[in-house]
Amino acid sequence: MKRNLFTLILPGLLVAATGVGAGDLATASFTGSELGVAVLWAVVVGGVFKYVLTEGIARWQLVNGNSLLEGLVQKLGKVFVWIFLAYLVLWSFFVGSALMSASGAALHALFPVFEPSTGKIVFGLASSMCGLALARLGKFTLFAKTMGVCVGLMFAVVLFTAYSLWPGHAQVLSGLFVPSIPDFSGKGLTWTVALIGGVGGTLTIFCYGYWIQEQNRTSANDILLCKIDLAVGYGMTILFGLAMVIIGSTIVVEGKGAGLLIKLAASLETAIGPVGKWLFLVGAFSAIFSSLLGVWQAVPYMFADISRHIVQPKFNTGVVRLNQTQSYKIYQILLAVVPILGLLLSFKEIQKLYSVVGTLFMPFLAVALLYLNNQGKMGKHKNSVLINGVLLATLVFFSYVAWQKFVA
């Protein structure tokens, strides 16, 4: 059956939409405000790192017929099952809470009918329930169409805003092709590292494997198609990050998280007028809500995939119809409901533990792909020398981030 262009590149677009959240927007804009457009090259580097990791996950799945998570269970055993499950639960709670909070703050900025603290909770809860309904009741088709609309809005608005604040061709080209880090001995290196690490998602890159299954990509013959749609998806992610750095470089950015985006929108009102401010808020909400919707739809796949090895261990079962399992449906509801507590409570010690585990996830994934995708059974689809080089660079980079955060 002939498929249209949107269908062909859909999984890559979903990766782009889910990977860009409030934290990524805030990091890119704040880095631009602190360092200017000289660090645009860092966005490209971060996008390339995430592309290689996600492509490796897809290649393993298409060659072996099962998910990378299942491959890791086979190699590492039950210990990995329990460790990953603990990490997934922590990640789900804090990321879910952050997405609700950011969605609530963005909607309150658009419709300030409550006190700010109340608006964040009310609109955050409404966003979560809306996301649950779209992910659960409308099946994959409605989910995909909604994500497509959100991607279109956020992409068009942010690029328009960056164009309106364009600093000049010479500066942008220099920032892209002449790598440098302003204020290297001060905050420059820290913010540049944060910018590289913040491009795209973290755990959400696992979701790509389940989305290609929804598109009936099940064999090594589909590897080239995955390379193409991932190139489109991460190309859009990179353009989005570049635009946010450019926007941040033109104005003073203060605050953090979703609050930073609200202040950024207020600053844009002075730079490009009230229409520009409201357009940016619409684009920012689209980016945040698409991330929430993507997480609500796809993260339960991981829970269903990993938990089946606790209930009934069985290998080589693939990822087919995991969204029909009880574990998927239950986790989806819990994901949309339990993180609401995070809008009211603070768990500092648990957050610290989550932060440690989260920082170690990316180097672990790089090691896993270096090991699994270089095995003989991968045949002609083993990692190339170039891919191994990028994976090693990814490993070194994220190991450095972990060392800086917890040792230095």
Side-chain angles (χ1 to χ4, degrees):
M1 183 171 62
K2 187 176 180 180
R3 294 179 287 185
N4 59 37
L5 179 61
F6 176 75
T7 302
L8 291 175
I9 64 173
L10 176 61
L13 294 181
L14 295 178
V15 167
T18 305
V20 177
D24 307 270
L25 295 174
T27 298
S29 58
F30 198 92
T31 303
S33 181
E34 289 286 310
L35 306 179
V37 296
V39 291
L40 287 174
W41 61 271
V43 177
V44 179
V45 171
V48 170
F49 282 170
K50 298 296 175 65
Y51 169 89
V52 170
L53 291 171
T54 312
E55 187 275 339
I57 290 172
R59 188 155 31 90
W60 163 270
Q61 178 172 312
L62 293 173
V63 171
N64 292 278
N66 53 25
S67 69
L68 184 70
L69 281 180
E70 189 162 6
L72 290 170
V73 173
Q74 291 184 49
K75 297 297 180 182
L76 303 178
K78 281 294 189 69
V79 173
F80 171 77
V81 172
W82 290 107
I83 291 176
F84 184 83
L85 191 59
Y87 169 68
L88 179 63
V89 170
L90 282 173
W91 186 95
S92 297
F93 179 84
F94 290 109
V95 171
S97 179
L99 288 170
M100 288 184 199
S101 177
S103 297
L107 277 178
H108 175 74
L110 285 166
F111 307 103
V113 294
F114 302 102
E115 291 295 321
S117 58
T118 303
K120 182 185 73 170
I121 295 173
V122 172
F123 285 126
L125 178 59
S127 296
S128 180
M129 294 302 101
C130 182
L132 177 62
L134 287 169
R136 182 158 191 146
L137 303 180
K139 307 298 182 183
F140 187 76
T141 301
L142 180 60
F143 161 72
K145 289 180 178 179
T146 305
M147 292 288 275
V149 171
C150 288
V151 169
L153 275 174
M154 73 179 195
F155 196 68
V157 168
V158 169
L159 288 186
F160 168 76
T161 306
Y163 174 77
S164 301
L165 300 171
W166 192 252
H169 298 317
Q171 293 183 55
V172 171
L173 290 175
S174 176
L176 278 171
F177 299 109
V178 184
S180 65
I181 302 178
D183 190 26
F184 184 88
S185 60
K187 294 183 178 180
L189 180 60
T190 300
W191 279 110
T192 302
V193 167
L195 182 61
I196 294 173
V199 174
T202 51
L203 188 65
T204 54
I205 66 177
F206 267 125
C207 301
Y208 181 78
Y210 306 108
W211 286 326
I212 61 175
Q213 187 71 26
E214 291 280 2
Q215 297 298 95
N216 295 315
R217 299 183 195 175
T218 57
S219 73
N221 294 329
D222 295 311
I223 290 176
L224 178 59
L225 182 55
C226 288
K227 290 177 184 290
I228 293 172
D229 79 48
L230 281 173
V232 172
Y234 280 107
M236 293 183 69
T237 300
I238 289 171
L239 283 175
F240 197 85
L242 294 175
M244 287 304 303
V245 171
I246 290 171
I247 292 169
S249 72
T250 62
I251 56 180
V252 176
V253 180
E254 298 177 340
K256 60 181 181 179
L260 183 151
L261 295 177
I262 306 308
K263 292 181 180 179
L264 175 59
S267 298
L268 287 172
E269 184 172 15
T270 302
I272 57 178
V275 174
K277 168 192 172 181
W278 291 108
L279 282 176
F280 179 81
L281 283 174
V282 169
F285 173 72
S286 296
I288 297 166
F289 183 73
S290 66
S291 186
L292 179 149
L293 180 56
V295 168
W296 271 216
Q297 195 274 341
V299 168
Y301 278 121
M302 285 185 270
F303 178 78
D305 199 5
I306 201 75
S307 64
R308 60 181 171 169
H309 297 295
I310 298 174
V311 178
Q312 185 178 6
K314 183 180 180 182
F315 295 114
N316 298 318
T317 53
V319 296
V320 179
R321 300 304 171 202
L322 283 176
N323 60 348
Q324 300 301 313
T325 63
Q326 284 298 110
S327 55
Y328 175 94
K329 295 175 181 178
I330 291 171
Y331 199 77
Q332 190 173 58
I333 294 174
L334 293 175
L335 181 59
V337 174
V338 175
I340 293 170
L341 295 173
L343 300 176
L344 306 171
L345 306 174
S346 175
F347 303 101
K348 292 183 180 180
E349 292 304 315
I350 298 178
Q351 283 180 311
K352 182 178 179 180
L353 174 62
Y354 160 75
S355 180
V356 172
V357 177
T359 302
L360 296 176
F361 171 73
M362 299 310 289
F364 167 77
L365 181 56
V367 169
L369 291 173
L370 281 167
Y371 173 61
L372 293 176
N373 284 357
N374 280 303
Q375 293 184 352
K377 65 179 181 178
M378 291 294 290
K380 65 179 181 179
H381 300 295
K382 288 197 300 184
N383 290 345
S384 66
V385 174
L386 177 61
I387 292 297
N388 280 329
V390 177
L391 284 172
L392 284 171
T394 305
L395 171 61
V396 170
F397 171 76
F398 283 104
S399 297
Y400 170 77
V401 172
W403 180 81
Q404 282 288 92
K405 192 169 185 178
F406 306 114
V407 179

